PDB file of all heavy atoms in Angstrom:
ATOM      1  N   GLY M 138     133.383  96.492 111.716  1.00 98.00           N
ATOM      2  CA  GLY M 138     133.041  95.397 112.633  1.00 98.00           C
ATOM      3  C   GLY M 138     131.729  95.613 113.387  1.00 98.00           C
ATOM      4  O   GLY M 138     131.384  94.761 114.224  1.00 98.00           O
ATOM      5  N   THR M 139     131.057  96.706 113.130  1.00 98.00           N
ATOM      6  CA  THR M 139     129.786  96.962 113.816  1.00 98.00           C
ATOM      7  C   THR M 139     128.692  96.030 113.267  1.00 98.00           C
ATOM      8  O   THR M 139     127.785  95.635 114.008  1.00 98.00           O
ATOM      9  CB  THR M 139     129.357  98.436 113.652  1.00 98.00           C
ATOM     10  OG1 THR M 139     130.401  99.274 114.173  1.00 98.00           O
ATOM     11  CG2 THR M 139     128.050  98.744 114.351  1.00 98.00           C
ATOM     12  N   ILE M 140     128.752  95.754 111.982  1.00 98.00           N
ATOM     13  CA  ILE M 140     127.790  94.864 111.344  1.00 98.00           C
ATOM     14  C   ILE M 140     128.532  93.586 110.870  1.00 98.00           C
ATOM     15  O   ILE M 140     129.628  93.700 110.347  1.00 98.00           O
ATOM     16  CB  ILE M 140     127.175  95.584 110.109  1.00 98.00           C
ATOM     17  CG1 ILE M 140     126.283  96.752 110.558  1.00 98.00           C
ATOM     18  CG2 ILE M 140     126.348  94.599 109.279  1.00 98.00           C
ATOM     19  CD1 ILE M 140     125.766  97.603 109.416  1.00 98.00           C
ATOM     20  N   GLY M 141     127.862  92.459 111.052  1.00 98.00           N
ATOM     21  CA  GLY M 141     128.472  91.220 110.591  1.00 98.00           C
ATOM     22  C   GLY M 141     128.264  91.000 109.113  1.00 98.00           C
ATOM     23  O   GLY M 141     129.198  90.798 108.370  1.00 98.00           O
ATOM     24  N   HIS M 142     126.999  91.059 108.682  1.00 98.00           N
ATOM     25  CA  HIS M 142     126.680  90.802 107.263  1.00 98.00           C
ATOM     26  C   HIS M 142     125.621  91.794 106.807  1.00 98.00           C
ATOM     27  O   HIS M 142     124.836  92.303 107.600  1.00 98.00           O
ATOM     28  CB  HIS M 142     126.167  89.367 107.080  1.00 98.00           C
ATOM     29  CG  HIS M 142     127.173  88.334 107.468  1.00 98.00           C
ATOM     30  ND1 HIS M 142     128.209  87.970 106.665  1.00 98.00           N
ATOM     31  CD2 HIS M 142     127.314  87.599 108.624  1.00 98.00           C
ATOM     32  CE1 HIS M 142     128.964  87.046 107.263  1.00 98.00           C
ATOM     33  NE2 HIS M 142     128.442  86.807 108.475  1.00 98.00           N
ATOM     34  N   LEU M 143     125.556  92.001 105.510  1.00 98.00           N
ATOM     35  CA  LEU M 143     124.648  92.974 104.902  1.00 98.00           C
ATOM     36  C   LEU M 143     123.593  92.289 104.090  1.00 98.00           C
ATOM     37  O   LEU M 143     123.874  91.342 103.339  1.00 98.00           O
ATOM     38  CB  LEU M 143     125.400  93.947 104.021  1.00 98.00           C
ATOM     39  CG  LEU M 143     126.449  94.869 104.680  1.00 98.00           C
ATOM     40  CD1 LEU M 143     127.061  95.779 103.626  1.00 98.00           C
ATOM     41  CD2 LEU M 143     125.848  95.638 105.830  1.00 98.00           C
ATOM     42  N   GLY M 144     122.373  92.783 104.197  1.00 98.00           N
ATOM     43  CA  GLY M 144     121.279  92.239 103.401  1.00 98.00           C
ATOM     44  C   GLY M 144     120.404  93.388 102.870  1.00 98.00           C
ATOM     45  O   GLY M 144     120.563  94.545 103.244  1.00 98.00           O
ATOM     46  N   VAL M 145     119.527  93.034 101.974  1.00 98.00           N
ATOM     47  CA  VAL M 145     118.538  93.976 101.465  1.00 98.00           C
ATOM     48  C   VAL M 145     117.164  93.288 101.557  1.00 98.00           C
ATOM     49  O   VAL M 145     117.040  92.109 101.255  1.00 98.00           O
ATOM     50  CB  VAL M 145     118.866  94.449 100.031  1.00 98.00           C
ATOM     51  CG1 VAL M 145     118.897  93.264  99.059  1.00 98.00           C
ATOM     52  CG2 VAL M 145     117.910  95.517  99.557  1.00 98.00           C
ATOM     53  N   ALA M 146     116.177  94.047 101.976  1.00 98.00           N
ATOM     54  CA  ALA M 146     114.829  93.494 102.217  1.00 98.00           C
ATOM     55  C   ALA M 146     113.799  94.389 101.576  1.00 98.00           C
ATOM     56  O   ALA M 146     113.742  95.609 101.779  1.00 98.00           O
ATOM     57  CB  ALA M 146     114.566  93.373 103.721  1.00 98.00           C
ATOM     58  N   GLY M 147     112.904  93.778 100.777  1.00 95.00           N
ATOM     59  CA  GLY M 147     111.833  94.540 100.195  1.00 95.00           C
ATOM     60  C   GLY M 147     110.887  93.661  99.420  1.00 95.00           C
ATOM     61  O   GLY M 147     110.973  92.422  99.488  1.00 95.00           O
ATOM     62  N   GLY M 148     110.003  94.297  98.658  1.00 92.00           N
ATOM     63  CA  GLY M 148     108.991  93.535  97.939  1.00 92.00           C
ATOM     64  C   GLY M 148     108.929  93.812  96.461  1.00 92.00           C
ATOM     65  O   GLY M 148     108.388  93.030  95.679  1.00 92.00           O
ATOM     66  N   HIS M 149     109.581  94.933  96.016  1.00 92.00           N
ATOM     67  CA  HIS M 149     109.456  95.323  94.606  1.00 92.00           C
ATOM     68  C   HIS M 149     110.674  94.764  93.860  1.00 92.00           C
ATOM     69  O   HIS M 149     111.794  95.219  93.991  1.00 92.00           O
ATOM     70  CB  HIS M 149     109.439  96.868  94.544  1.00 92.00           C
ATOM     71  CG  HIS M 149     109.172  97.394  93.163  1.00 92.00           C
ATOM     72  ND1 HIS M 149     110.115  98.151  92.489  1.00 92.00           N
ATOM     73  CD2 HIS M 149     108.115  97.302  92.355  1.00 92.00           C
ATOM     74  CE1 HIS M 149     109.580  98.515  91.328  1.00 92.00           C
ATOM     75  NE2 HIS M 149     108.389  97.998  91.209  1.00 92.00           N
ATOM     76  N   THR M 150     110.430  93.698  93.080  1.00 93.00           N
ATOM     77  CA  THR M 150     111.595  92.961  92.513  1.00 93.00           C
ATOM     78  C   THR M 150     112.463  93.782  91.553  1.00 93.00           C
ATOM     79  O   THR M 150     113.686  93.611  91.564  1.00 93.00           O
ATOM     80  CB  THR M 150     111.123  91.645  91.853  1.00 93.00           C
ATOM     81  OG1 THR M 150     110.217  91.988  90.788  1.00 93.00           O
ATOM     82  CG2 THR M 150     110.434  90.769  92.864  1.00 93.00           C
ATOM     83  N   PRO M 151     111.943  94.699  90.717  1.00 93.00           N
ATOM     84  CA  PRO M 151     112.847  95.466  89.899  1.00 93.00           C
ATOM     85  C   PRO M 151     113.838  96.322  90.740  1.00 93.00           C
ATOM     86  O   PRO M 151     114.995  96.421  90.410  1.00 93.00           O
ATOM     87  CB  PRO M 151     111.912  96.376  89.098  1.00 93.00           C
ATOM     88  CG  PRO M 151     110.638  95.608  89.012  1.00 93.00           C
ATOM     89  CD  PRO M 151     110.527  94.927  90.340  1.00 93.00           C
ATOM     90  N   THR M 152     113.343  96.886  91.854  1.00 94.00           N
ATOM     91  CA  THR M 152     114.219  97.623  92.763  1.00 94.00           C
ATOM     92  C   THR M 152     115.256  96.728  93.373  1.00 94.00           C
ATOM     93  O   THR M 152     116.470  97.063  93.458  1.00 94.00           O
ATOM     94  CB  THR M 152     113.421  98.362  93.844  1.00 94.00           C
ATOM     95  OG1 THR M 152     112.515  99.246  93.222  1.00 94.00           O
ATOM     96  CG2 THR M 152     114.350  99.133  94.767  1.00 94.00           C
ATOM     97  N   LEU M 153     114.829  95.546  93.803  1.00 96.00           N
ATOM     98  CA  LEU M 153     115.759  94.616  94.434  1.00 96.00           C
ATOM     99  C   LEU M 153     116.824  94.129  93.415  1.00 96.00           C
ATOM    100  O   LEU M 153     117.988  93.926  93.795  1.00 96.00           O
ATOM    101  CB  LEU M 153     114.998  93.412  95.036  1.00 96.00           C
ATOM    102  CG  LEU M 153     114.128  93.811  96.230  1.00 96.00           C
ATOM    103  CD1 LEU M 153     113.318  92.598  96.692  1.00 96.00           C
ATOM    104  CD2 LEU M 153     114.968  94.342  97.390  1.00 96.00           C
ATOM    105  N   HIS M 154     116.447  93.936  92.190  1.00 96.00           N
ATOM    106  CA  HIS M 154     117.450  93.605  91.180  1.00 96.00           C
ATOM    107  C   HIS M 154     118.503  94.716  91.079  1.00 96.00           C
ATOM    108  O   HIS M 154     119.714  94.453  90.970  1.00 96.00           O
ATOM    109  CB  HIS M 154     116.791  93.451  89.779  1.00 96.00           C
ATOM    110  CG  HIS M 154     116.334  92.037  89.518  1.00 96.00           C
ATOM    111  ND1 HIS M 154     117.189  90.991  89.331  1.00 96.00           N
ATOM    112  CD2 HIS M 154     115.054  91.539  89.383  1.00 96.00           C
ATOM    113  CE1 HIS M 154     116.473  89.888  89.088  1.00 96.00           C
ATOM    114  NE2 HIS M 154     115.177  90.181  89.115  1.00 96.00           N
ATOM    115  N   ARG M 155     118.071  95.957  91.114  1.00 96.00           N
ATOM    116  CA  ARG M 155     118.995  97.067  91.046  1.00 96.00           C
ATOM    117  C   ARG M 155     119.887  97.119  92.248  1.00 96.00           C
ATOM    118  O   ARG M 155     121.079  97.506  92.149  1.00 96.00           O
ATOM    119  CB  ARG M 155     118.234  98.370  90.852  1.00 96.00           C
ATOM    120  CG  ARG M 155     117.516  98.477  89.515  1.00 96.00           C
ATOM    121  CD  ARG M 155     116.767  99.764  89.356  1.00 96.00           C
ATOM    122  NE  ARG M 155     117.716 100.903  89.200  1.00 96.00           N
ATOM    123  CZ  ARG M 155     117.306 102.137  89.034  1.00 96.00           C
ATOM    124  NH1 ARG M 155     116.007 102.430  89.033  1.00 96.00           N
ATOM    125  NH2 ARG M 155     118.201 103.114  88.931  1.00 96.00           N
ATOM    126  N   MET M 156     119.373  96.756  93.410  1.00 97.00           N
ATOM    127  CA  MET M 156     120.178  96.717  94.599  1.00 97.00           C
ATOM    128  C   MET M 156     121.230  95.607  94.506  1.00 97.00           C
ATOM    129  O   MET M 156     122.389  95.802  94.946  1.00 97.00           O
ATOM    130  CB  MET M 156     119.311  96.558  95.857  1.00 97.00           C
ATOM    131  CG  MET M 156     118.262  97.655  96.034  1.00 97.00           C
ATOM    132  SD  MET M 156     118.949  99.310  96.005  1.00 97.00           S
ATOM    133  CE  MET M 156     119.953  99.291  97.462  1.00 97.00           C
ATOM    134  N   LEU M 157     120.845  94.492  93.959  1.00 98.00           N
ATOM    135  CA  LEU M 157     121.831  93.407  93.818  1.00 98.00           C
ATOM    136  C   LEU M 157     122.921  93.774  92.817  1.00 98.00           C
ATOM    137  O   LEU M 157     124.055  93.268  92.916  1.00 98.00           O
ATOM    138  CB  LEU M 157     121.115  92.111  93.329  1.00 98.00           C
ATOM    139  CG  LEU M 157     120.734  91.144  94.437  1.00 98.00           C
ATOM    140  CD1 LEU M 157     119.861  91.759  95.524  1.00 98.00           C
ATOM    141  CD2 LEU M 157     120.036  89.909  93.871  1.00 98.00           C
ATOM    142  N   ASP M 158     122.597  94.683  91.870  1.00 97.00           N
ATOM    143  CA  ASP M 158     123.606  95.138  90.917  1.00 97.00           C
ATOM    144  C   ASP M 158     124.795  95.794  91.652  1.00 97.00           C
ATOM    145  O   ASP M 158     125.884  95.847  91.106  1.00 97.00           O
ATOM    146  CB  ASP M 158     123.013  96.153  89.954  1.00 97.00           C
ATOM    147  CG  ASP M 158     122.050  95.536  88.934  1.00 97.00           C
ATOM    148  OD1 ASP M 158     122.111  94.294  88.773  1.00 97.00           O
ATOM    149  OD2 ASP M 158     121.259  96.273  88.345  1.00 97.00           O
ATOM    150  N   LEU M 159     124.579  96.298  92.851  1.00 96.00           N
ATOM    151  CA  LEU M 159     125.646  97.013  93.596  1.00 96.00           C
ATOM    152  C   LEU M 159     126.720  96.024  94.091  1.00 96.00           C
ATOM    153  O   LEU M 159     127.809  96.479  94.413  1.00 96.00           O
ATOM    154  CB  LEU M 159     125.055  97.781  94.762  1.00 96.00           C
ATOM    155  CG  LEU M 159     124.053  98.903  94.354  1.00 96.00           C
ATOM    156  CD1 LEU M 159     123.417  99.511  95.599  1.00 96.00           C
ATOM    157  CD2 LEU M 159     124.750  99.968  93.523  1.00 96.00           C
ATOM    158  N   GLY M 160     126.357  94.749  94.211  1.00 97.00           N
ATOM    159  CA  GLY M 160     127.324  93.733  94.509  1.00 97.00           C
ATOM    160  C   GLY M 160     127.863  93.712  95.953  1.00 97.00           C
ATOM    161  O   GLY M 160     128.924  93.156  96.192  1.00 97.00           O
ATOM    162  N   VAL M 161     127.116  94.293  96.889  1.00 97.00           N
ATOM    163  CA  VAL M 161     127.633  94.346  98.248  1.00 97.00           C
ATOM    164  C   VAL M 161     126.813  93.497  99.215  1.00 97.00           C
ATOM    165  O   VAL M 161     127.269  93.226 100.344  1.00 97.00           O
ATOM    166  CB  VAL M 161     127.675  95.783  98.814  1.00 97.00           C
ATOM    167  CG1 VAL M 161     128.576  96.656  97.927  1.00 97.00           C
ATOM    168  CG2 VAL M 161     126.298  96.372  98.920  1.00 97.00           C
ATOM    169  N   PHE M 162     125.636  93.075  98.811  1.00 98.00           N
ATOM    170  CA  PHE M 162     124.736  92.417  99.740  1.00 98.00           C
ATOM    171  C   PHE M 162     124.965  90.884  99.756  1.00 98.00           C
ATOM    172  O   PHE M 162     125.229  90.277  98.719  1.00 98.00           O
ATOM    173  CB  PHE M 162     123.265  92.726  99.426  1.00 98.00           C
ATOM    174  CG  PHE M 162     122.949  94.177  99.537  1.00 98.00           C
ATOM    175  CD1 PHE M 162     122.742  94.983  98.409  1.00 98.00           C
ATOM    176  CD2 PHE M 162     122.882  94.751 100.817  1.00 98.00           C
ATOM    177  CE1 PHE M 162     122.436  96.312  98.570  1.00 98.00           C
ATOM    178  CE2 PHE M 162     122.576  96.075 100.955  1.00 98.00           C
ATOM    179  CZ  PHE M 162     122.379  96.870  99.837  1.00 98.00           C
ATOM    180  N   GLU M 163     124.827  90.319 100.939  1.00 98.00           N
ATOM    181  CA  GLU M 163     125.054  88.891 101.162  1.00 98.00           C
ATOM    182  C   GLU M 163     123.740  88.137 101.342  1.00 98.00           C
ATOM    183  O   GLU M 163     123.710  86.890 101.257  1.00 98.00           O
ATOM    184  CB  GLU M 163     125.958  88.668 102.362  1.00 98.00           C
ATOM    185  CG  GLU M 163     127.293  89.385 102.273  1.00 98.00           C
ATOM    186  CD  GLU M 163     127.923  89.601 103.613  1.00 98.00           C
ATOM    187  OE1 GLU M 163     128.596  88.666 104.120  1.00 98.00           O
ATOM    188  OE2 GLU M 163     127.689  90.667 104.220  1.00 98.00           O
ATOM    189  N   VAL M 164     122.701  88.857 101.700  1.00 98.00           N
ATOM    190  CA  VAL M 164     121.400  88.211 101.989  1.00 98.00           C
ATOM    191  C   VAL M 164     120.288  88.990 101.283  1.00 98.00           C
ATOM    192  O   VAL M 164     120.313  90.251 101.252  1.00 98.00           O
ATOM    193  CB  VAL M 164     121.118  88.231 103.525  1.00 98.00           C
ATOM    194  CG1 VAL M 164     119.739  87.699 103.839  1.00 98.00           C
ATOM    195  CG2 VAL M 164     122.202  87.385 104.236  1.00 98.00           C
ATOM    196  N   LEU M 165     119.339  88.246 100.744  1.00 98.00           N
ATOM    197  CA  LEU M 165     118.150  88.846 100.148  1.00 98.00           C
ATOM    198  C   LEU M 165     116.923  88.398 100.954  1.00 98.00           C
ATOM    199  O   LEU M 165     116.736  87.183 101.152  1.00 98.00           O
ATOM    200  CB  LEU M 165     117.998  88.362  98.682  1.00 98.00           C
ATOM    201  CG  LEU M 165     116.637  88.658  98.041  1.00 98.00           C
ATOM    202  CD1 LEU M 165     116.474  90.139  97.736  1.00 98.00           C
ATOM    203  CD2 LEU M 165     116.452  87.832  96.766  1.00 98.00           C
ATOM    204  N   LEU M 166     116.131  89.345 101.388  1.00 98.00           N
ATOM    205  CA  LEU M 166     114.835  89.036 101.962  1.00 98.00           C
ATOM    206  C   LEU M 166     113.762  89.624 101.094  1.00 98.00           C
ATOM    207  O   LEU M 166     113.763  90.831 100.815  1.00 98.00           O
ATOM    208  CB  LEU M 166     114.707  89.601 103.389  1.00 98.00           C
ATOM    209  CG  LEU M 166     113.402  89.254 104.162  1.00 98.00           C
ATOM    210  CD1 LEU M 166     113.639  89.215 105.677  1.00 98.00           C
ATOM    211  CD2 LEU M 166     112.249  90.187 103.820  1.00 98.00           C
ATOM    212  N   THR M 167     112.880  88.760 100.587  1.00 96.00           N
ATOM    213  CA  THR M 167     111.776  89.239  99.788  1.00 96.00           C
ATOM    214  C   THR M 167     110.478  88.866 100.443  1.00 96.00           C
ATOM    215  O   THR M 167     110.356  87.785 101.040  1.00 96.00           O
ATOM    216  CB  THR M 167     111.845  88.625  98.363  1.00 96.00           C
ATOM    217  OG1 THR M 167     110.739  89.109  97.594  1.00 96.00           O
ATOM    218  CG2 THR M 167     111.840  87.152  98.382  1.00 96.00           C
ATOM    219  N   HIS M 168     109.537  89.779 100.412  1.00 94.00           N
ATOM    220  CA  HIS M 168     108.219  89.474 101.070  1.00 94.00           C
ATOM    221  C   HIS M 168     107.114  89.470 100.032  1.00 94.00           C
ATOM    222  O   HIS M 168     107.142  90.255  99.076  1.00 94.00           O
ATOM    223  CB  HIS M 168     107.928  90.465 102.199  1.00 94.00           C
ATOM    224  CG  HIS M 168     107.569  91.853 101.734  1.00 94.00           C
ATOM    225  ND1 HIS M 168     106.347  92.191 101.264  1.00 94.00           N
ATOM    226  CD2 HIS M 168     108.318  92.968 101.682  1.00 94.00           C
ATOM    227  CE1 HIS M 168     106.290  93.452 100.947  1.00 94.00           C
ATOM    228  NE2 HIS M 168     107.486  93.956 101.168  1.00 94.00           N
ATOM    229  N   SER M 169     106.195  88.596 100.210  1.00 93.00           N
ATOM    230  CA  SER M 169     104.941  88.545  99.398  1.00 93.00           C
ATOM    231  C   SER M 169     105.113  88.113  97.974  1.00 93.00           C
ATOM    232  O   SER M 169     104.171  88.095  97.220  1.00 93.00           O
ATOM    233  CB  SER M 169     104.232  89.907  99.417  1.00 93.00           C
ATOM    234  OG  SER M 169     104.158  90.461 100.688  1.00 93.00           O
ATOM    235  N   ARG M 170     106.346  87.741  97.575  1.00 93.00           N
ATOM    236  CA  ARG M 170     106.617  87.507  96.156  1.00 93.00           C
ATOM    237  C   ARG M 170     106.940  86.070  95.821  1.00 93.00           C
ATOM    238  O   ARG M 170     107.238  85.782  94.675  1.00 93.00           O
ATOM    239  CB  ARG M 170     107.768  88.412  95.675  1.00 93.00           C
ATOM    240  CG  ARG M 170     107.642  89.867  95.989  1.00 93.00           C
ATOM    241  CD  ARG M 170     106.261  90.461  95.691  1.00 93.00           C
ATOM    242  NE  ARG M 170     105.753  90.116  94.401  1.00 93.00           N
ATOM    243  CZ  ARG M 170     106.116  90.711  93.254  1.00 93.00           C
ATOM    244  NH1 ARG M 170     107.030  91.676  93.272  1.00 93.00           N
ATOM    245  NH2 ARG M 170     105.607  90.346  92.123  1.00 93.00           N
ATOM    246  N   LEU M 171     106.874  85.188  96.788  1.00 95.00           N
ATOM    247  CA  LEU M 171     107.053  83.766  96.530  1.00 95.00           C
ATOM    248  C   LEU M 171     106.054  83.007  97.412  1.00 95.00           C
ATOM    249  O   LEU M 171     106.419  82.432  98.412  1.00 95.00           O
ATOM    250  CB  LEU M 171     108.514  83.323  96.805  1.00 95.00           C
ATOM    251  CG  LEU M 171     108.870  82.036  96.058  1.00 95.00           C
ATOM    252  CD1 LEU M 171     109.091  82.294  94.585  1.00 95.00           C
ATOM    253  CD2 LEU M 171     110.144  81.439  96.624  1.00 95.00           C
ATOM    254  N   THR M 172     104.825  82.997  96.968  1.00 95.00           N
ATOM    255  CA  THR M 172     103.723  82.428  97.756  1.00 95.00           C
ATOM    256  C   THR M 172     102.803  81.689  96.785  1.00 95.00           C
ATOM    257  O   THR M 172     103.015  81.646  95.554  1.00 95.00           O
ATOM    258  CB  THR M 172     102.923  83.542  98.469  1.00 95.00           C
ATOM    259  OG1 THR M 172     102.140  84.248  97.475  1.00 95.00           O
ATOM    260  CG2 THR M 172     103.835  84.507  99.199  1.00 95.00           C
TER     261      THR M 172
END
Side-chain angles (χ1 to χ4, degrees):
T139 301
I140 293 173
H142 299 280
L143 297 181
V145 60
H149 188 244
T150 60
T152 299
L153 293 174
H154 271 292
R155 295 182 67 181
M156 301 308 294
L157 265 55
D158 289 342
L159 298 174
V161 302
F162 296 108
E163 302 159 86
V164 175
L165 168 72
L166 184 152
T167 179
H168 72 80
S169 313
R170 309 314 312 281
L171 201 73
T172 74

